[in-house]
Amino acid sequence: MIVTSRIARQTNRWVRFAKVTVQVLPAVADEVTIAPGVLRDHASRLEAVCGAHEALRHVPADRGFHRVDVVDAVTTEVDTGVGDVYEVTARAAREALSLDPSLFTGFSDPQVVAGWLRERIGKQLAGVTEARHWNNGERDPDTASLVHAWLHFENRPPTQLHGCGDELQLSIAEPYPGYDMDQFGAVRVTSAAVPDSLAMVVGRRLTDAAVILGPADRPACAGLLLRLDDVTVTIGTLGDEWVLALDEPPADIAPFWHLQPWITQD
């Protein structure tokens, strides 16, 4: 089966564009190939491979193995950002594999996350949006009430942070509306506010950053260590619990995490 997926979004602040066509065939083992001449740069090829493998991981075991061939792709140097090729490849592969469409297409591959960070070095963190759980007009402090967070860097689309076990998944997505949970309270989606940790770094410029690997079986991002001007912030997840700190990783968590090399501005 051959399927094409595309992203074409434009606002007065940012643009997203990518188009990928995949073909799925039965195979003796799951694999991903990219046709000659398609996606010539290493970063885009990596995103396509990771996106296809993300779809393959959701195929039920009783359906056997498949090969996902990326047979065509269109990107631009200006309009295609980190995460765009990953998302359209994952969506095309899911459809070709007859999987339910996924509203959330997050990436945690350390190399892709590093590329996302590199694309934002030197940019201002213009805002942070948070989804938090409230009940009876009250909410727990910082990490305990946090559901999702979105980082808004200047001239780049917002990125949703999603804690999933020991993986921090990033998805290029705008904040969703808040919603009611009846007797279980509500989720409110608003700008981060003092004294919560992420509110403290809004308006600062990202100068350095590093990916944090977690204890997952395969290499996966568990957190981000960000230096924004004179403030350092840790954002991550461990055991399905958020970790937020205006500093480097807390000492009790450090043994489970592995800090990767710092990414700095060239």
Side-chain angles (χ1 to χ4, degrees), residues 86-167:
Y86 176 94
E87 181 175 326
V88 292
T89 305
R91 292 190 186 282
R94 287 186 71 93
E95 184 177 344
L97 290 162
S98 300
L99 299 172
D100 292 336
S102 174
L103 296 178
F104 178 85
T105 309
F107 54 88
S108 62
D109 180 89
Q111 295 183 72
V112 179
V113 176
W116 178 90
L117 287 169
R118 193 171 293 109
E119 191 177 69
R120 284 154 179 78
I121 294 290
K123 295 188 178 298
Q124 182 190 57
L125 181 61
V128 175
T129 303
E130 296 177 332
R132 291 187 175 275
H133 178 249
W134 287 71
N135 200 6
N136 295 322
E138 298 180 345
R139 43 150 282 202
D140 291 327
D142 220 355
T143 56
S145 62
L146 187 63
V147 180
H148 293 117
W150 292 261
L151 304 182
H152 304 263
F153 282 94
E154 61 176 339
N155 303 321
R156 300 306 308 151
T159 301
Q160 179 182 339
L161 304 182
H162 176 79
C164 183
D166 294 324
E167 286 188 34

Side-chain angles (χ1 to χ4, degrees), residues 215-240:
D217 293 337
R218 59 186 175 85
C221 174
L224 306 173
L225 185 57
L226 310 177
R227 285 179 182 157
L228 294 120
D229 290 332
D230 57 344
V231 177
T232 298
V233 61
T234 297
I235 311 169
T237 182
L238 182 67
D240 223 19

Side-chain angles (χ1 to χ4, degrees), residues 156-181:
R156 300 306 308 151
T159 301
Q160 179 182 339
L161 304 182
H162 176 79
C164 183
D166 294 324
E167 286 188 34
L168 180 67
Q169 297 187 343
L170 284 66
S171 178
I172 311 302
E174 297 184 70
Y176 51 70
Y179 53 91
D180 185 69
M181 300 170 64

Side-chain angles (χ1 to χ4, degrees), residues 8 13-14 22 66 69 105 117 150 153 164 204 226 247 252:
R13 300 181 306 280
W14 49 264
V22 305
H66 301 82
D69 298 328
T105 309
L117 287 169
W150 292 261
F153 282 94
C164 183
R204 299 175 185 272
L226 310 177
D247 203 342
D252 60 331

Side-chain angles (χ1 to χ4, degrees), residues 2 11 16 35 46 48 50 54 63 86 123 133 171 183 198:
I2 299 177
T11 73
R16 296 185 70 195
L46 174 66
C50 291
E54 172 62 22
R63 287 182 48 191
Y86 176 94
K123 295 188 178 298
H133 178 249
S171 178
Q183 71 268 31
L198 295 180

